Amino acid sequence: MEVLSAFQYSLIYNAFSFTFAAMAATTLFLWISRSQVAPKYKTAVTISGLVCAIAAYHYFRIFESFEGAYIFENGVVTATGVAFNDAYRYVDWLLTVPLLLIELVLVMGLSRDETVSKSLKLGFAAALMIVLGYPGEIADDNTTRAIWGTLSTIPFLYIVYELFAGLGAAIENQHPKVRSLLKKARLLTFASWGFYPIVYMAPFIGLEGPVAETVIQIGYTIADLVAKAVVGVLIYLIAVRKSAVESEIADERREAQEALPV
Amino acid sequence: MEVLSAFQYSLIYNAFSFTFAAMAATTLFLWISRSQVAPKYKTAVTISGLVCAIAAYHYFRIFESFEGAYIFENGVVTATGVAFNDAYRYVDWLLTVPLLLIELVLVMGLSRDETVSKSLKLGFAAALMIVLGYPGEIADDNTTRAIWGTLSTIPFLYIVYELFAGLGAAIENQHPKVRSLLKKARLLTFASWGFYPIVYMAPFIGLEGPVAETVIQIGYTIADLVAKAVVGVLIYLIAVRKSAVESEIADERREAQEALPV
């Protein structure tokens, strides 16, 4: 394993610890705040917290694996020979990426049939995308990396299509007060996901050794923070606003009914 | 102890960590979401979460035991000489398999007498099945394995009979909106359990050494994930749907009664 500079080591080390703290904090925030949304949106908030909890666990493991793989002593970083288990990322994504799409579907408050069908389709495509990406990630040569990366792009494009075409109509049907927030959540999901293929391709632009390692670790970490913690808080805000809007509408209806001549 | 290839080691290592994360996440999901079902079905959801919590604990232990049994250094896996404690699985099943059948009985919402009698019968048969299977699992020769495996099949067949004949009539009496979900839960329980004897018999088809070890570990892990986490979420969905159906029926009755001339 390539040895990192003291700066690179500290940067990665502290980014892992930061991300564990941020993910665990977001989990707690979401689960504690769950009582403040209408029953209809509780599951969306529960799952947003779950995604951050799973990520917190994996960042804890990644941090420990990184600590086991390197020794930083007397200002010099040396490899211990113990492998740094990067597979934790893929194991995490296999669980969290389908759930991220499901939380987005759930907060829209569609009919049961639509919710089930969209969750299943998007969840399955997301899992397939992760599974196809992994063989490329661990490949030593760029050709194998390119082949699996390309295969993985097929379900990715399907997800993007579903998010914009499939969910597009459903978003237009939402109350004007939440429409723009939902569009932001969708855009942020898409934009943060766009980060992953860029990091995946780091070795193609000639980056290698410690620099590539640092770019990959920091890149994936930032993307995870946006896709899970920031999107999770956004899902919560949508749930809060939808709960308020729907309770207002229900109140107005009740008042209108009571005002009718008997 | 047989030494594994780097690929086999990583596969098992990451499967254990994945399963710990998935079981712990399902536990949290079920316990947090428990507030969303009618009081009548809360115990079924509590127990579904409990099954996943017990499994999460054991996968954590299995993971640690595996970490202690092998060293993966400089790309080579060597055995440390410390035994990998596979008995964790049987200890886990002794607790979780009876509970899995009880959660299925509880979500049906039968009368108290029926619930108690079916839970006791199925729970006892499940515990007996696990106890009889263990001596075969640790046996060195295939004959001993076959004898205990066959003995263990007797309570297994009784459970299958009870699930399909005994609970069959009770499922037919359920509301049409939940009947198919209940059948799915029963089928998934049966299908995921069918996995265990197949894995148990891996040594009979000539698999041995590291390949048998990998097949057994990955096979049991997949079966556990389906039988506990997937079935647990299904039990929750049944509980949610039954709660909704029963509250609708109660509402209709109240309205019908209010519409009656006094």
Side-chain angles (χ1 to χ4, degrees):
Chain A
M1 176 154 283
E2 306 277 354
V3 170
L4 302 158
S5 75
F7 172 74
Q8 289 164 338
Y9 174 85
S10 294
L11 186 66
I12 298 176
Y13 186 94
N14 290 301
F16 288 165
S17 178
F18 172 85
T19 309
F20 165 74
M23 294 290 189
T26 313
T27 305
L28 293 170
F29 171 76
L30 291 170
W31 284 347
I32 293 171
S33 306
R34 183 181 165 277
S35 63
Q36 280 155 275
V37 306
K40 197 175 166 186
Y41 301 111
K42 282 198 196 298
T43 308
V45 178
T46 305
I47 292 186
S48 302
L50 210 55
V51 164
C52 294
I54 296 169
Y57 164 73
H58 284 114
Y59 271 92
F60 186 81
R61 285 276 187 212
I62 290 173
F63 179 87
E64 283 202 318
S65 178
F66 189 76
E67 263 199 319
Y70 300 100
I71 296 176
F72 184 26
E73 223 167 19
N74 305 318
V76 180
V77 181
T78 45
T80 60
V82 176
F84 172 56
N85 183 24
D86 213 15
Y88 281 130
R89 293 200 178 281
Y90 278 79
V91 170
D92 175 80
W93 295 337
L94 194 56
L95 281 166
T96 55
V97 178
L99 290 175
L100 273 170
L101 291 170
I102 293 171
E103 72 188 46
L104 198 60
V105 171
L106 282 173
V107 86
M108 313 234 339
L110 307 173
S111 73
R112 174 167 306 172
D113 287 349
E114 264 185 304
T115 303
V116 171
S117 112
K118 288 209 186 297
S119 295
L120 282 179
K121 274 196 277 185
L122 286 169
F124 180 76
L128 190 66
M129 174 177 82
I130 305 302
V131 168
L132 290 174
Y134 187 62
E137 183 72 88
I138 54 166
D140 287 328
D141 62 301
N142 280 351
T143 315
T144 315
R145 200 176 182 89
I147 293 170
W148 290 104
T150 309
L151 286 175
S152 174
T153 308
I154 301 168
F156 174 69
L157 291 176
Y158 168 74
I159 293 168
V160 173
Y161 168 78
E162 271 291 328
L163 282 181
F164 286 84
L167 288 182
I171 288 181
E172 289 310 321
N173 287 336
Q174 301 276 323
H175 195 279
K177 284 193 181 168
V178 295
R179 209 181 288 152
S180 79
L181 265 185
L182 269 168
K183 282 187 184 167
K184 263 182 211 146
R186 179 179 64 177
L187 187 66
L188 209 58
T189 302
F190 172 66
S192 61
W193 287 25
F195 237 74
Y196 296 97
I198 296 171
V199 178
Y200 191 90
M201 288 184 294
F204 289 101
I205 55 164
L207 282 183
E208 53 183 34
V211 177
E213 182 67 15
T214 310
V215 168
I216 289 176
Q217 295 308 332
I218 300 296
Y220 282 151
T221 301
I222 295 171
D224 275 348
L225 278 168
V226 176
K228 293 172 171 113
V230 179
V231 169
V233 171
L234 210 51
I235 294 283
Y236 167 70
L237 292 175
I238 294 169
V240 166
R241 198 168 297 186
K242 288 190 84 168
S243 304
V245 166
E246 283 163 23
S247 115
E248 268 171 42
I249 293 172
D251 283 352
E252 277 164 23
R253 256 189 219 148
R254 204 175 309 119
E255 278 166 28
Q257 242 169 358
E258 282 167 4
L260 280 177
V262 191
Chain B
M1 177 154 284
E2 305 278 353
V3 169
L4 302 158
S5 75
F7 173 75
Q8 289 165 339
Y9 173 85
S10 294
L11 186 66
I12 298 176
Y13 184 93
N14 289 300
F16 288 164
S17 177
F18 172 86
T19 308
F20 165 75
M23 293 292 190
T26 312
T27 305
L28 293 168
F29 172 77
L30 291 170
W31 285 348
I32 292 172
S33 305
R34 184 178 165 279
S35 65
Q36 279 154 275
V37 306
K40 197 176 166 185
Y41 301 112
K42 281 197 197 297
T43 308
V45 177
T46 306
I47 293 186
S48 302
L50 209 55
V51 164
C52 294
I54 297 168
Y57 164 73
H58 284 114
Y59 271 92
F60 186 80
R61 285 278 186 213
I62 290 173
F63 180 87
E64 284 201 317
S65 176
F66 189 76
E67 262 198 321
Y70 300 99
I71 296 175
F72 183 28
E73 222 167 18
N74 304 318
V76 180
V77 181
T78 45
T80 59
V82 177
F84 172 54
N85 181 25
D86 213 15
Y88 283 130
R89 294 199 178 282
Y90 278 80
V91 171
D92 176 82
W93 294 337
L94 195 56
L95 279 166
T96 56
V97 178
L99 290 175
L100 272 170
L101 290 170
I102 293 171
E103 74 188 44
L104 198 60
V105 171
L106 282 174
V107 87
M108 312 236 336
L110 308 173
S111 73
R112 175 164 308 172
D113 287 349
E114 264 186 305
T115 302
V116 171
S117 115
K118 288 209 186 298
S119 295
L120 281 178
K121 275 196 275 184
L122 286 169
F124 180 74
L128 190 66
M129 174 177 82
I130 305 302
V131 168
L132 290 174
Y134 187 60
E137 183 73 274
I138 54 166
D140 286 328
D141 62 302
N142 281 352
T143 315
T144 315
R145 200 176 181 90
I147 292 168
W148 289 105
T150 308
L151 286 175
S152 173
T153 308
I154 301 167
F156 174 69
L157 291 176
Y158 168 74
I159 293 168
V160 172
Y161 167 79
E162 271 292 328
L163 282 182
F164 285 84
L167 288 182
I171 288 181
E172 288 311 321
N173 286 335
Q174 300 276 323
H175 194 280
K177 283 193 181 167
V178 296
R179 209 182 286 152
S180 81
L181 265 185
L182 270 169
K183 282 188 183 167
K184 262 182 212 148
R186 180 179 63 178
L187 188 67
L188 209 59
T189 303
F190 172 66
S192 62
W193 286 26
F195 237 75
Y196 296 98
I198 296 171
V199 178
Y200 191 90
M201 289 184 292
F204 290 102
I205 56 165
L207 281 183
E208 53 183 35
V211 177
E213 183 67 15
T214 310
V215 168
I216 288 175
Q217 296 308 331
I218 300 297
Y220 281 152
T221 301
I222 294 171
D224 276 348
L225 278 168
V226 176
K228 295 174 172 109
V230 179
V231 169
V233 171
L234 212 51
I235 294 283
Y236 166 70
L237 292 175
I238 294 169
V240 166
R241 199 168 295 188
K242 287 190 84 169
S243 304
V245 166
E246 283 163 23
S247 115
E248 266 171 43
I249 293 172
D251 283 351
E252 276 165 23
R253 257 189 218 148
R254 201 175 312 117
E255 277 166 29
Q257 242 167 0
E258 281 167 5
L260 281 177
V262 190

